Structure formats: C-alpha cells, structure tokens
Amino acid sequence: YKRQALGSLAGCDFKVKQALLNASEFHQPIPAPAPGDWLEDHSEDGQTFDQYKGGKWNLVDKKKNVLYILPLQKMEENFLTACQQFCTAFFYGMEVKLHHGVQLSKLKIESRINPGTEKIQYKASNILQKAKKHLPSDAYAMICILHDDLYPRDEWNYVFGLADLSGRTGVFSFARYNPIFFGEKEPENLEQIILYRACKVMSHELGHMFGLKHCVFYSCAMNGSNHMEEASTRPLYECPVCLRKLQLAIGFNIVERYKALQIVCSSFGNSFGEDAKWYQLRVADIEKSLSKIKKVKTVSYTHLRAHETSLHLVCRLLL
C-alpha cells in the first residue's frame, strides 16, 4: 500500500531514489485514529504520487516563484524572520519574502465570539477570499498569519489553518498553540513553543498550495489534525510519498534541502532539536548509500582480456 503510493522508481534520478528508500527506518506508520482524531471524523483515501503527478496544480515558473508570508496583525520581527528562514529551507529553491502593509482591521473580515472560549474568531474562508486581492504578481502562494482564533464555516468550532489551492492563498493562527489561550500558566519557553507549532502549521498549509493533500500513509507533516494533542504528534518533515511530490513541484536537491533544514532547526534549538537530529541522520544515511554506489566501478574490456586464457581467445575469435 505504501510502496504503491510512492509510485515506480524506474527512471527516477538515482539521488532522488536513494532519498526515498529506507522509509521504514526513518518514517513511522500513521497511528490508528482515536476518537476525535482527524481520520476518525474525516474519510480520506490519501493521494498517491501518480495521482499527484497526473493532477492539476499550480506550476512554479519564472514569473511566479516567490512564497509570501503576510502578518495580518502586529508581530515581532524576529518571529517573522524565523518563519521566513524555516520556509526558505522547507521549500528549498523557492524565494520567501515577508509581505507587510495589509492589516486585518482593513479587510473587514466576518467574525464571531466562540461560545466555548468566549474569544473572538475570524472566518478563515473570508480571509482567503479578500487576501488574494493583495497577492503580489510574482507570488506562487501567500500565507497569512494572525494571533486570533479562526473558524472555516459556521458549523465548525475552529480550525488551525486553511488553504485555497486555486486562489494560492492560505491562513493560519497560532492562537491555540499558545497555552495562555486556554488559561494555562505562561511557560518559560513560550516563544519557542509558538515558533515550533507555527512552523508546523505554516509548512502544512503551504504544502496544500503546492497541491499536496492530507497524508494517510505515514506519520507526516501533511497529516490532518483535529486537535492540539494530535497536532503535537506530527513530525516536522514529510514522508517519502509527500517528499517526492514536493520535489517534483520545486525540483530541489533533496540532500541539500535536508542539510538546510538541519542547519535551521539546529540554530533554533530546544523544540527543534529532535527534528534537527532526524535531518542529520537522514543526510548521513543518504550520503552513505550514494558513496557505496560511487565505489562500484565498471570492469573494463581491457581488464577482462588481460585475464583471458587461450581457450577464451579461441571462443572470442569464433564469435
């Protein structure tokens, strides 16, 4: 099932092929959904590589090759720069820019007070509809960020983020990633917690804008999440199936991308430590496999002739 989802590797670039192998050693199967989990509430068949390859999604080209991060509310510049750095590594080969100048208050977004939290929520679908009017001409996609909570439509309680593939816009809130939102005591590493969780949902929503659907094959950055506990179990890297899709879309060198992510995660430290270690181990494994391939030398015809006997010579003359 998982192997079929990855697609045939025949004719695949050998460097890409090596990066897609040994999946069982580095990727865990997606756990069986518990009550309240995403796959318990949503029936999804997943998206194979062949389905992705044959589908219709926005192409990266010379005119539209920039990812934009648009803060809709006032945020610390250090936080936005960190988001930019992570996106630059995650979507390796894409230029990532910060887009300022559009404020949530000026967009006149539909809102409500959530009866459970008694906090304001903004309608995510309405944000996407109005944000695409501010999409720069060179944008492949744009992700909007805000502090306040989101809901996708009236029937839903909340949503972490939402993306519009055709509109090339997405939005996410880190309201529920902040323990203070639930009345909990502020932890010492609050900034780290918010950044780590923001990088997860940001890369997930941008992944949708590259045409990637929710993953059902492995524990993966593209898994759906219904609640905070489920979201916290998702890794900060894609499974081989989703990695192959993203590589096809952007065309990056997988090893160089992994190295860039290892550097960024290591520089962020703390919450990113385990992911930095994973990227480091993955690079070492791929490079080890590639070095073995390079050591295999083709035996030359001259070398074979040097070991011929007279019987071999007679046979070769007869041929």
Side-chain angles (χ1 to χ4, degrees):
Y1 179 60
K2 295 182 181 66
R3 184 64 187 83
Q4 185 179 4
L6 185 59
S8 173
L9 296 179
C12 184
D13 179 88
F14 80 96
K15 290 184 179 180
V16 174
K17 187 175 181 180
Q18 290 304 312
L20 299 174
L21 297 175
N22 298 337
S24 60
E25 295 183 27
F26 291 91
H27 300 275
Q28 301 298 317
I30 187 170
D37 283 355
W38 181 267
L39 289 178
E40 183 71 15
D41 294 343
H42 302 83
S43 178
E44 294 182 332
D45 296 326
Q47 177 193 48
T48 67
F49 173 76
D50 289 334
Q51 287 173 333
Y52 177 79
K53 187 177 181 181
K56 294 181 179 180
W57 35 273
N58 299 318
L59 299 175
V60 178
D61 57 37
K62 293 182 180 179
K63 294 183 179 180
K64 291 181 172 60
N65 57 5
V66 181
L67 297 177
Y68 282 90
I69 299 173
L70 171 61
L72 291 176
Q73 295 172 317
K74 187 176 181 180
M75 297 180 187
E76 292 290 335
E77 199 65 27
N78 288 344
F79 170 79
L80 294 172
T81 300
C83 289
Q84 180 185 19
Q85 290 173 338
F86 181 80
C87 271
T88 300
F90 197 91
F91 299 98
Y92 194 74
M94 300 290 291
E95 186 177 2
V96 181
K97 295 181 179 179
L98 298 177
H99 182 21
H100 295 284
V102 182
Q103 289 297 306
L104 185 69
S105 58
K106 294 183 179 181
L107 293 179
K108 298 181 179 179
I109 303 299
E110 294 178 49
S111 63
R112 71 181 186 187
I113 299 298
N114 184 289
T117 64
E118 298 183 346
K119 298 179 186 294
I120 192 169
Q121 289 182 302
Y122 290 95
K123 196 168 188 176
S125 55
N126 193 214
I127 291 176
L128 298 183
Q129 181 184 11
K130 294 190 176 183
K132 64 183 179 182
K133 297 177 183 178
H134 300 275
L135 196 67
S137 59
D138 62 348
Y140 175 81
M142 181 172 70
I143 187 81
C144 306
I145 315 176
L146 69 160
H147 296 291
D148 292 315
D149 204 18
L150 296 170
Y151 69 103
R153 52 181 181 266
D154 295 342
E155 305 82 39
W156 282 48
N157 184 24
Y158 71 92
V159 70
F160 290 121
L162 193 67
D164 177 9
L165 174 59
S166 60
R168 294 182 289 124
T169 53
V171 61
F172 80 90
S173 161
F174 48 79
R176 292 177 181 264
Y177 290 138
N178 189 338
I180 299 174
F181 181 86
F182 300 99
E184 299 175 11
K185 183 180 178 181
E186 179 178 334
E188 293 182 2
N189 59 337
L190 177 61
E191 291 183 3
Q192 269 279 320
I193 291 174
I194 292 177
L195 177 61
Y196 184 68
R197 293 171 175 175
C199 286
K200 274 191 177 184
V201 68
M202 178 173 56
S203 54
H204 178 98
E205 297 304 335
L206 280 170
H208 282 316
M209 282 182 272
F210 279 91
L212 277 68
K213 295 184 178 180
H214 282 148
C215 180
V216 301
F217 307 111
Y218 294 89
S219 183
C220 172
M222 291 308 298
N223 294 150
S225 297
N226 240 10
H227 49 82
M228 190 64 243
E229 291 77 13
E230 187 177 25
S232 65
T233 65
R234 303 314 189 210
L236 203 56
Y237 47 83
E238 322 91 324
C239 72
V241 181
C242 294
L243 173 64
R244 192 178 186 191
K245 297 173 194 174
L246 196 60
Q247 196 280 331
L248 176 67
I250 302 177
F252 49 66
N253 179 307
I254 293 178
V255 176
E256 293 305 314
R257 174 180 177 270
Y258 276 167
K259 287 180 178 179
L261 280 163
Q262 190 267 323
I263 291 172
V264 169
C265 289
S266 294
S267 68
F268 290 165
N270 297 329
S271 303
F272 294 82
E274 288 299 315
D275 298 284
K277 184 178 180 181
W278 185 92
Y279 283 119
Q280 184 180 26
L281 292 173
R282 196 69 188 97
V283 167
D285 180 73
I286 296 171
E287 291 187 332
K288 182 179 179 181
S289 298
L290 292 175
S291 66
K292 287 181 179 179
I293 294 174
K294 291 178 181 179
K295 288 180 181 178
V296 177
K297 296 181 179 180
T298 304
V299 180
S300 68
Y301 179 65
T302 303
H303 178 76
L304 289 173
R305 287 192 62 187
H307 294 82
E308 282 183 339
T309 65
S310 57
L311 179 60
H312 292 145
L313 180 60
V314 171
C315 291
R316 184 159 54 79
L317 289 172
L318 289 174
L319 289 172

